[in-house]
Amino acid sequence: MDSLRLKSLKLFQKLKMPKNTLVQDNSKESQKVQDSIKSKDAHNTTQRGREAEDYACKFLIEQGFAVLERNFHTRFGELDIVAKKDGILHFVEVKSGVGFEPVYNLNQAKLKKLTKTLNIYLEKHCVQNSYCLSALILSKQTTNDIFQVRWLENLTIF
């Protein structure tokens, strides 16, 4: 059962309505309920991403990095964190997940987008330093666990 339908069923149970009342209903009221659920999911996803990036920044600072910028946007994508350590600029992609392995969300297409975005950053900021694309993988089995951190330095497109 997909998550939207499961959430709808939970909502119907709260309202003490029969399970099949609005499952196939395409009325405006049903659409409002579905849009509300999607909006909450998007908010929760954004909030979880922000929390993971905050955690990643704290981790990097503890490891001796200076965080220079967060969430640098271009039309190709976003750089989560730009940090510097020992004269090397690190473009850090943060991947997090609960109950699954977030490293699998790093793929060739994502790395190409990140590379295009970091090239724009380099050009815009006239960077002459050495640099690399890195990733911080934050995973936990349940929401109450502490993140397990893996640092992947100098990612390449294969």
Side-chain angles (χ1 to χ4, degrees):
M1 181 178 305
D2 67 4
S3 63
L4 182 59
R5 183 172 173 165
L6 184 62
K7 287 177 182 175
S8 295
L9 290 175
K10 286 180 181 177
L11 178 66
F12 300 141
Q13 288 169 349
K14 275 186 181 177
L15 298 173
K16 297 188 174 143
M17 298 172 73
K19 286 183 181 178
N20 295 327
T21 304
L22 294 175
V23 173
Q24 299 299 323
D25 187 2
N26 291 326
S27 69
K28 288 181 183 178
E29 287 146 15
S30 175
Q31 191 61 45
K32 284 180 186 177
V33 169
Q34 291 177 20
D35 289 346
S36 169
I37 291 169
K38 287 178 188 174
S39 173
K40 287 178 184 173
D41 283 348
H43 173 72
N44 289 340
T45 301
T46 302
Q47 182 178 351
R48 283 192 302 266
R50 190 175 309 116
E51 289 168 0
E53 287 177 16
D54 289 344
Y55 190 93
C57 283
K58 288 176 188 171
F59 174 83
L60 291 170
I61 290 167
E62 288 172 1
Q63 300 302 310
F65 287 82
V67 175
L68 305 178
E69 191 165 348
R70 288 180 64 175
N71 306 113
F72 176 78
H73 292 273
T74 71
R75 66 187 179 112
F76 298 110
E78 173 192 40
L79 298 171
D80 293 331
I81 301 170
V82 180
K84 191 174 187 178
K85 182 178 180 182
D86 300 330
I88 299 172
L89 204 57
H90 292 264
F91 297 97
V92 183
E93 177 66 10
V94 178
K95 290 294 179 193
S96 65
V98 177
F100 70 95
E101 188 53 59
V103 73
Y104 294 115
N105 290 332
L106 277 175
N107 55 38
Q108 189 173 8
K110 179 66 174 176
L111 292 175
K112 283 182 180 180
K113 287 180 183 181
L114 289 170
T115 302
K116 286 180 181 179
T117 303
L118 77 83
N119 284 326
I120 291 170
Y121 182 94
L122 293 170
E123 186 177 313
K124 180 178 179 182
H125 292 86
C126 302
V127 174
Q128 300 298 316
N129 299 30
S130 297
Y131 66 91
C132 68
L133 177 59
S134 303
L136 255 178
I137 310 301
L138 306 174
S139 59
K140 46 181 159 173
Q141 293 302 311
T142 66
T143 10
N144 297 329
D145 290 343
I146 297 172
F147 279 120
Q148 293 177 351
V149 180
R150 281 184 291 157
W151 173 246
L152 305 176
E153 190 170 13
N154 203 16
L155 301 175
T156 56
I157 299 173
F158 47 91

